[in-house]
Amino acid sequence: MKRQTRAVRTRHTWNILRQGTRSEDVREYAATLSRAYRAIAKATGSHTLVDSGKLPSEAALLPHVEGITPYSLYLVRDPRAAAHSWTKTKQYVVPMSTFRSTAYWVGFNLASEAVIRNAPERSFFLRYEDFIADPATVVEGLLELVGEEGAANPVQGRTVNLGKNHTVTGNPDRFRSGPTLLRPEDDAWRKELPSRARKLTQALSWPLMARYGYFQPPRTQAREAVGPVAANQDTREDVRGTGTGR
C-alpha cells in the first residue's frame, strides 16, 4: 500500500508509461502483482483472470508484470450520471461534491486514454450506456477479444447470474449475488441532479463528453461502442480491467 501511494496512483500513470519499472517502488509493486496473479491462477485453475481494479496507473504497469498478457477494459459513464451517483450515501461510501467527482472523472479518463493508446489492439473502450443497452452482446464481444468465445455468457437477456466475490473495497452493490436484473435505463440523474450541478459538470468535462458522444443522441447499437479492450495474462494467466464509472 505504501508503494502504491508513493508511485502507483492515477497521477503517476504518465511516469509509468514513460519510465516503466525504473523506480524501485514501481518495480517491487509489479513483482507483487505478478505473485498475486500467479497465486490466484494456481488456486483456481484459471488461465484468464479479471482484475476489477480501477486505477489507470495499475493498467499502465501491467505490461511490466511478469507472466501475464494484459488486456484493458476502459469503461466510461456520462459524468453527469457519475456526479449524481456520488451524491448518494451507500453504507461506508462517503458522498462527494460535484466539482470533486467531475475532476476525478476527467483525471481518470485522461489517464485511461493514455493507457489504451499504448496497446489499442488489446484495449476495449466501452460506454456504460451502450453496455446497459445490450449487455449480452457486449459481453460476447469481450469474450471474443480474449479468446474465450466458447465460454458461457453469464448474461441472458437482461439478467446476469452473479457469483460470490471477495473484493476488499468498492461499491457495496458488488456483494449482490444470484440472478440480478440489469435495468435498461439508469437515468435518474436527468430528474434528480440539480441544474447547477449539471452545468458545472458539463463546464468541467465538455471536451471529453463531446469526444465520448455524450452531446449526441444515444447510440442504437451497443456494438458500435465496443472499441478497444484489455485483459491481463498470457499462457499462464489473463487479467483485465480499468474503469472510470462508479
Side-chain angles (χ1 to χ4, degrees), residues 1-9 16 20-21 23-37 51 53-55 57-62 64-66:
M1 291 301 297
K2 289 180 180 179
R3 289 191 179 107
Q4 184 191 64
T5 300
R6 287 195 299 256
V8 196
R9 300 297 297 173
I16 294 172
T21 55
S23 159
E24 181 180 356
D25 280 329
V26 174
R27 188 165 55 252
E28 290 299 324
Y29 194 81
T32 298
L33 289 178
S34 180
R35 290 193 297 271
Y37 293 149
D51 184 339
K54 296 181 179 180
L55 292 180
S57 50
E58 289 192 348
L61 181 58
L62 291 177
H64 304 283
V65 175
E66 182 182 357

Side-chain angles (χ1 to χ4, degrees), residues 47-51 69-73 121-124 138-152 223 226-235 237-241:
H47 57 79
T48 299
L49 308 181
V50 180
D51 184 339
T69 298
Y71 291 77
S72 299
L73 172 58
E121 73 285 355
R122 286 186 283 107
S123 299
F124 192 103
V138 171
V139 172
E140 286 294 340
L142 288 167
L143 292 173
E144 181 180 351
L145 177 78
V146 298
E148 296 288 350
E149 296 91 336
R223 291 288 283 184
V226 176
V229 117
N232 329 289
Q233 203 169 56
D234 77 311
T235 73
E237 298 114 64
D238 266 12
V239 192
R240 27 239 88 165

Side-chain angles (χ1 to χ4, degrees), residues 40-127:
I40 293 169
K42 182 178 180 180
T44 62
S46 302
H47 57 79
T48 299
L49 308 181
V50 180
D51 184 339
S52 61
K54 296 181 179 180
L55 292 180
S57 50
E58 289 192 348
L61 181 58
L62 291 177
H64 304 283
V65 175
E66 182 182 357
I68 71 169
T69 298
Y71 291 77
S72 299
L73 172 58
Y74 174 16
L75 178 65
V76 63
R77 188 181 185 187
D78 190 314
R80 294 164 294 190
H84 173 259
S85 178
W86 277 113
T87 65
K88 307 297 182 182
T89 300
K90 287 189 176 182
Q91 296 179 23
Y92 53 81
V93 177
V94 179
M96 193 182 297
S97 71
T98 298
F99 179 87
R100 188 178 182 189
S101 66
T102 305
Y104 273 118
W105 186 93
V106 171
F108 269 65
N109 279 291
L110 289 175
S112 297
E113 284 188 1
V115 171
I116 68 170
R117 277 198 298 268
N118 271 25
E121 73 285 355
R122 286 186 283 107
S123 299
F124 192 103
F125 174 83
L126 174 64
R127 299 196 320 174

Side-chain angles (χ1 to χ4, degrees), residues 140-238:
E140 286 294 340
L142 288 167
L143 292 173
E144 181 180 351
L145 177 78
V146 298
E148 296 288 350
E149 296 91 336
N153 191 332
V155 181
Q156 301 296 323
R158 301 212 61 84
T159 300
V160 57
N161 190 28
L162 300 176
K164 295 185 181 300
N165 68 69
H166 306 280
T167 55
V168 177
T169 188
N171 193 311
D173 291 346
R174 73 189 186 285
F175 290 124
R176 293 181 181 178
S177 61
T180 302
L181 178 66
L182 298 172
R183 292 173 293 180
E185 294 183 0
D186 189 5
D187 58 357
W189 65 268
R190 296 182 183 276
K191 296 180 179 179
E192 298 176 7
L193 187 66
S195 175
R196 183 177 179 181
R198 185 180 306 191
K199 290 178 180 177
L200 176 60
T201 298
Q202 292 178 179
L204 294 173
S205 62
W206 71 264
L208 292 182
M209 287 184 67
R211 187 182 307 175
Y212 303 151
Y214 284 120
F215 288 134
Q216 304 297 326
R219 299 180 185 182
T220 56
Q221 295 295 325
R223 291 288 283 184
E224 293 178 9
V226 176
V229 117
N232 329 289
Q233 203 169 56
D234 77 311
T235 73
R236 310 133 310 193
E237 298 114 64
D238 266 12

